[in-house]
Structures are given as structure tokens and as C-alpha cells.
């Protein structure tokens, strides 16, 4: 893992946590260890990476301290609707760049975001992809790979229409 990869991993976990996703202490410690091995410079990094199992409860605070030292601390928008839109863009970005499985990402947008936003028009294509991938049967005559490609395309279109999607919320 390169230094850039380690910083991306830390940033990714920061966003996961900021958007309310559970990230276990073991994963925080491992990310710290990965960053330390990749020679990321942070005063608190060695403490995070060296936590023992009995010290796991200290991991979240130390992880936040490392993020702050590295300038990676992330705070979603205070407004709940704006935070949901920010999360949708973050997930769509991961689908589009290939770091998140399209079916998983589309499902997260459907289940964790679209419902809370009242199924806005801007998320409809991603919700449709999620439903198709969730209910797919071999008899449909379309491959799962094709449905995944459609989800990637829907994520890319969503990202290109960002301001319009949020205005239509």
C-alpha cells in the first residue's frame, strides 16, 4: 500500500463514519497500521496502530485525532437532507470509480437514502438499478454484468447532474 492509498483509505473510513455507518475498532486500528507501514506522518498514528485488543475502545477517538492531524476529518452537512444528498454523491462516486460494487452501492442509495428523501427524481435511475439487481432472475435474458454496467452508467449520470438533482429534491 502506498502513502496515497493509505490516505484514501483513512479518508474513506472517515466518510463512512461521518455518514453514520458502523466501522469496528479493529478496522480503525488496521487502517492505522496500514498508514504507519505506508509511512504516513502523524503524531498519533503509532498509538492507533499499536492498540491492543483490550484497548480497542480507545480506537475511535485516536482515529479522529489522526484524521484531524492529517486534515482528513470530514463533517457532513448539518441539514439532514443535504447530508443524505452528500452521501448519495459519495456512494455514486464509488460506484462510478469502481471502488464499490454497483449492486451494493445502488442498494445503499435505495435503502439508506432514497427512502429518506421521498424517492426524488434525481435518484430514480439508481433506485431502478437497485431493484433490478435485487430481483434479477436468469430468465430475464439480461446478464447481471449488464445490470451492473447500467448501475455504473446511472451513477455517472447522477454525478454529472449533481446541482440539478439536489435542486429537484
Amino acid at each position: 500500500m502506498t502513502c496515497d492509498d493509505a490516505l484514501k483509505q483513512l479518508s474513506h473510513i472517515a466518510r463512512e463514519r461521518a455518514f453514520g455507518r458502523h466501522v469496528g475498532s479493529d478496522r480503525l486500528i488496521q487502517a492505522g497500521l496500514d498508514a504507519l507501514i505506508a509511512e504516513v506522518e502523524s503524531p498519533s498514528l503509532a498509538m492507533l496502530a499499536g492498540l491492543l485488543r483490550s484497548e480497542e475502545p480507545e480506537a475511535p477517538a485516536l482515529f479522529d485525532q489522526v484524521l484531524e492531524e492529517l486534515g482528513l476529518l470530514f463533517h457532513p452537512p448539518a441539514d439532514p437532507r443535504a447530508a443524505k444528498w452528500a452521501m448519495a454523491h459519495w456512494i455514486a462516486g464509488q460506484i462510478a470509480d469502481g471502488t464499490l460494487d454497483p449492486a451494493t452501492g445502488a442498494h445503499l442509495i435505495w435503502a439508506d437514502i432514497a427512502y429518506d428523501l421521498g424517492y426524488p427524481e434525481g435518484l430514480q435511475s439508481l433506485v431502478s438499478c437497485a431493484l433490478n439487481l435485487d430481483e434479477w432472475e436468469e430468465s430475464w435474458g439480461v446478464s447481471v454484468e449488464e445490470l451492473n454496467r447500467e448501475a455504473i452508467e446511472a451513477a455517472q449520470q447522477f454525478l454529472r447532474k449533481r446541482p440539478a438533482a439536489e435542486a429537484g429534491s
Side-chain angles (χ1 to χ4, degrees):
M1 177 176 286
T2 68
C3 185
D4 284 346
D5 292 337
L7 291 170
K8 284 179 189 171
Q9 179 182 25
L10 293 170
S11 181
H12 176 83
I13 293 171
R15 279 170 172 63
E16 272 187 272
R17 294 178 70 227
F19 286 126
R21 313 287 304 165
H22 173 74
V23 179
S25 291
D26 58 333
R27 194 163 154 224
L28 300 178
I29 294 167
Q30 184 62 52
L33 183 58
D34 291 344
L36 190 64
I37 291 170
E39 300 181 2
V40 171
E41 302 271 336
S42 163
S44 304
L45 192 55
M47 290 188 294
L48 173 63
L51 288 177
L52 303 172
R53 182 170 290 290
S54 62
E55 299 170 317
E56 281 186 358
E58 298 172 36
L62 269 174
F63 186 81
D64 286 344
Q65 190 171 335
V66 168
L67 293 176
E68 190 168 323
E69 292 166 359
L70 294 170
L72 297 175
L73 205 53
F74 174 77
H75 298 286
D79 174 66
R81 288 187 66 78
K84 287 290 182 180
W85 279 109
M87 185 175 178
H89 287 98
W90 177 62
I91 292 171
Q94 292 176 80
I95 295 168
D97 72 15
T99 57
L100 182 62
D101 172 67
T104 301
H107 181 82
L108 287 171
I109 287 173
W110 168 39
D112 293 352
I113 300 167
Y115 175 81
D116 291 342
L117 293 173
Y119 296 103
E121 181 63 35
L123 295 177
Q124 281 310 119
S125 61
L126 283 160
V127 169
S128 294
C129 289
L131 292 168
N132 287 338
L133 284 160
D134 193 52
E135 297 173 6
W136 179 80
E137 292 181 15
E138 224 173 298
S139 64
W140 286 9
V142 63
S143 68
V144 170
E145 292 77 17
E146 179 59 30
L147 294 178
N148 278 327
R149 280 192 293 277
E150 288 176 13
I152 292 168
E153 192 174 301
Q156 291 168 339
Q157 288 177 357
F158 172 72
L159 291 170
R160 283 193 296 270
K161 296 178 184 177
R162 182 178 188 158
E166 291 178 48
S169 64

